[in-house]
Amino acid sequence: MKGAPLILGVNRTQDASVCLMRGAQLEWAIQKERLTRQKHHWGRTGDFSAIYAPRLPGLDQPIDILVECYSSDAELDNLAAYERELASSLKLAPGCLRSHISHHLAHVYSVFHPSPFEQAAVMVIDGQGSPVSALTEHWRGAAWVPGNWCEVASFYRADRERVICIDKQVWNRDDERLVGLGMFYFLLTQAIFPGHGNEGKVMGLAPHGDPNALRLPPLQVEGWQVTIPAQWRAIMRERGRFRYSGKGDPHFAASAALAAAGQRAFEDALVSVAQWLHKETGSDNLCFAGGTALNCSANERLLRETAFKRVFIPPAPSDAGTALGCALYGLTQLAGQACTYRWQSDYLGPQPARAAIDAAVGDASDMLVEPIDHQDDLCGRLADLICEGKVVGLFHGRSEFGPRALGHRSILADPRLAHMRDWINDKVKLREWFRPLAPVVRLEHADQYFDIPTPSPFMQYAAPVLLDAASAVPAIIHVDITARLQTVGPADDPMLNCLLRAFQQRTGVPVLLNTSFNGKDEPIVETPAEAMETFRNTPMHVLAMPPYIVRKRRQPEAPA
């Protein structure tokens, strides 16, 4: 294929997503939830005609390569309906190259190919992936595994020429004895919190509990295989005993104890599996993807306690990232072109139009709007407001693709004010009191505050906070004296660098408190109108939407 093909990657699973590339240049990648405002929204028929094509640029052009991934039989049963929809909603170029790949293989291409490594061991661990019958890769167990099986963990050796599957853990869906690290953490979460997508709450709750209180055993680990012991299966069925019901919950100690025991069991097993993989591959480099790779506390142990010297975890390691993996599979395997794309930032959403920003501000007659054209002046004004104890919503540029707010769709505040975390959790986010808030720090000063052996641009590690610096930034410290930090290097986002420098000049502290810009149970805001609506409906004091600073005519209460 000559030239730069237009490549569309489509993830039809939970956290549905799409990615458009022109050759090795990424045009945009976005989760469906950012467009529908429904968290963890699954891929469904009708997505392109009703959601994607009307709102995303470039989908009116002929698509040269289309790659999709699925993770369940139900999705595979919809293939004919998906085909009819694609034919009616997209322009497929003559001779368009098509492929369906397995869920885990899409994870592999999402994590290794955009990594900085020329070769690496690759570990994919999530709840459950594709049915074995649908796998598009070969592995040594595929020929002899009978029954209704699906993948729960996969392990690979990869370089720029090929990807080799070393082994998989599979689960027979006819067997009630669930297996695998992803399934374990899912069941743990279900025992404590109702609904879906609450694994981060368990991670935040765990340091409040005693991991020894329930006297539960470790998970059973044999090489790459992880089995959930009977004691764990039994206790996680006792949901009435451990279900968290809010502040003042009489079950809190039990909930926290189960979270603590589960987090420790998960971490210990993950480290053991990673050590097995290192022995199998001999590689110094590890790429880690799947939903479990969002567990920041466990990721920090991978850095410190395994034989791998370097670890790459992308900003969207969960199912959403597989859309990018599909596109990169199309680039390398169908177009036969080299992948020069590297995941160096996570600002992958479509660029918001200046007209949309002007319209959102123009409709805000109930607000005080201050235009500031120069970035240095705007950041200086924001730093002054933050120093006054104001809570600032920042809407800037292209949105983050992954679940972490990394300074383009963020809520920012002064980390020196210990009460700020509780006020934001209670008044702005309307969420559990024990949830930590993250720091964003200038990379050149990170080692003065945090014990972190590597840059952390994607907020993927929970690093210990240095004790002699802890008193300076109490609002971003979790109960176990760690923080899930984002580092900002000199070549990273210019505005975030500017704002951190301005705050440091005024306070001597190169750190800001950072959490995601969204209301209760909502996805992160995507558009200027959504940013304005969330700002209006929460007690945030300031909205920065360059080149504008927006304030409420009647200021909300001061955090206290």
Side-chain angles (χ1 to χ4, degrees):
M1 180 175 292
K2 296 181 180 180
L6 195 64
I7 307 169
L8 184 64
V10 184
N11 157 42
R12 301 277 193 181
T13 67
Q14 181 177 253
D15 294 320
S17 53
V18 286
C19 172
L20 188 69
M21 299 190 74
R22 190 173 298 278
Q25 179 179 339
L26 191 143
E27 299 284 304
W28 46 257
I30 192 168
Q31 293 186 48
K32 179 182 175 182
E33 69 169 28
R34 304 292 177 87
L35 304 175
T36 64
R37 313 308 299 156
Q38 181 176 330
K39 292 186 73 173
H40 308 295
H41 210 168
W42 277 78
R44 294 288 185 260
T45 53
D47 284 351
F48 276 91
S49 57
I51 299 167
Y52 296 148
R55 298 185 60 177
L56 296 172
L59 293 182
D60 57 343
Q61 302 174 46
I63 303 297
D64 298 301
I65 298 174
L66 174 60
V67 180
E68 302 165 83
C69 72
Y70 307 83
S71 67
S72 73
D73 290 331
E75 292 163 336
L76 294 171
D77 290 342
N78 283 330
L79 283 181
Y82 287 141
E83 287 296 313
R84 289 192 296 270
E85 179 199 3
L86 291 171
S88 63
S89 305
L90 294 176
K91 294 179 182 179
L92 301 184
C96 176
L97 301 177
R98 302 284 302 275
S99 185
H100 297 94
I101 64 174
S102 75
H103 183 65
H104 278 204
L105 192 61
H107 272 307
V108 174
Y109 277 81
S110 78
V111 65
F112 172 71
H113 290 76
S115 80
F117 307 139
E118 291 302 309
Q119 57 77 30
V122 183
M123 181 165 68
V124 177
I125 301 175
D126 58 10
Q128 58 178 297
S130 299
V132 168
S133 60
L135 297 186
T136 54
E137 64 207 276
H138 298 288
W139 59 289
R140 65 191 183 202
W144 51 262
V145 175
N148 185 22
W149 296 79
C150 69
E151 54 189 351
V152 298
S154 302
F155 306 92
Y156 304 79
R157 180 185 292 109
D159 59 36
R160 294 292 165 183
E161 300 297 324
R162 57 183 181 169
V163 172
I164 298 174
C165 184
I166 297 171
D167 228 315
K168 290 181 179 287
Q169 182 171 13
V170 295
W171 167 56
N172 188 341
R173 289 177 291 187
D174 297 326
D175 190 341
E176 294 182 357
R177 294 171 297 177
L178 305 177
V179 300
L181 277 170
M183 183 58 69
F184 169 76
Y185 214 89
F186 170 77
L187 294 172
L188 175 70
T189 302
Q190 289 289 297
I192 304 173
F193 297 102
H196 294 274
N198 292 317
E199 283 75 9
K201 295 182 183 181
V202 175
M203 185 175 64
L205 177 62
H208 291 269
D210 177 1
N212 299 311
L214 299 173
R215 299 184 179 181
L216 288 162
L219 302 182
Q220 297 167 1
V221 183
E222 296 182 14
W224 71 99
Q225 304 270 11
V226 178
T227 304
I228 305 171
Q231 299 98 310
W232 273 105
R233 297 199 303 272
I235 205 167
M236 289 190 294
R237 286 193 289 266
E238 298 181 44
R239 296 185 178 181
R241 177 181 172 189
F242 298 106
R243 183 59 54 88
Y244 176 81
S245 61
K247 197 169 185 178
D249 180 6
H251 296 239
F252 179 78
S255 301
L258 184 63
Q263 179 68 31
R264 183 176 67 180
F266 173 82
E267 291 179 12
D268 289 347
L270 181 69
V271 169
S272 179
V273 170
Q275 291 286 51
W276 165 83
L277 181 59
H278 181 268
K279 291 178 182 176
E280 287 287 309
T281 63
S283 177
D284 288 335
N285 306 318
L286 173 65
C287 292
F288 181 27
T292 61
L294 289 170
N295 194 303
C296 301
S297 300
N299 294 345
E300 200 268 341
R301 289 187 62 186
L302 290 177
L303 281 177
R304 297 182 188 276
E305 298 181 31
T306 71
F308 290 106
K309 295 180 180 178
R310 291 171 293 275
V311 178
F312 177 75
I313 301 170
S318 58
D319 288 0
T322 59
L324 175 57
C326 286
L328 293 179
Y329 180 92
L331 174 70
T332 57
Q333 300 304 306
L334 301 186
Q337 297 186 9
C339 176
T340 58
Y341 173 77
R342 299 293 181 267
W343 213 329
Q344 295 177 326
S345 83
D346 192 39
Y347 310 124
L348 308 185
Q351 180 71 36
R354 172 63 188 268
I357 295 173
D358 291 340
V361 171
D363 290 340
S365 59
D366 56 331
M367 303 286 178
L368 298 170
V369 179
E370 181 182 359
I372 303 179
D373 291 328
H374 297 291
Q375 181 175 271
D376 287 351
D377 295 338
L378 189 145
C379 289
R381 181 80 173 104
L382 289 178
D384 288 337
L385 290 166
I386 292 171
C387 288
E388 293 172 10
K390 308 298 186 187
V391 174
V392 174
L394 177 59
F395 179 101
H396 165 56
R398 301 173 65 172
S399 62
E400 299 89 342
F401 179 43
R404 314 289 193 212
L406 301 174
H408 279 204
R409 302 290 186 274
S410 287
I411 296 173
L412 304 174
D414 192 336
R416 302 172 302 161
L417 305 178
H419 59 269
M420 192 61 79
R421 177 191 61 216
D422 293 338
W423 191 86
I424 291 175
N425 273 337
D426 184 44
K427 304 294 186 181
V428 178
K429 306 283 281 190
L430 303 178
R431 66 182 194 176
E432 296 80 8
W433 63 270
F434 57 79
R435 301 278 293 276
L437 300 181
V440 54
V441 57
R442 295 180 66 191
L443 177 61
E444 54 265 49
H445 299 287
D447 61 359
Q448 300 170 20
Y449 291 82
F450 308 100
D451 181 11
I452 183 76
T454 183
S456 180
F458 305 138
M459 205 187 289
Q460 297 291 49
Y461 303 101
V465 181
L466 300 179
L467 294 181
D468 58 355
S471 61
V473 288
I476 54 82
I477 300 175
H478 202 24
V479 66
D480 58 353
I481 321 298
T482 67
R484 187 184 67 198
L485 77 157
Q486 174 193 359
T487 58
V488 180
D492 292 337
D493 187 62
M495 183 168 178
L496 202 51
N497 261 302
C498 180
L499 183 53
L500 286 166
R501 284 196 303 270
F503 186 74
Q504 184 180 13
Q505 288 167 0
R506 288 156 174 77
T507 65
V509 176
V511 182
L512 285 170
L513 180 154
N514 175 28
T515 189
S516 56
F517 193 166
N518 59 280
K520 179 178 173 59
D521 297 328
E522 293 178 346
I524 296 174
V525 298
E526 176 63 26
T527 68
E530 290 161 4
M532 186 65 74
E533 181 181 9
T534 299
F535 174 61
R536 184 175 279 116
N537 293 334
T538 62
M540 283 187 284
H541 304 88
V542 180
L543 171 61
M545 193 154 53
Y548 302 105
I549 288 179
V550 183
R551 291 178 296 149
K552 293 167 180 170
R553 292 184 182 276
R554 184 173 181 177
Q555 281 286 286
E557 64 176 288

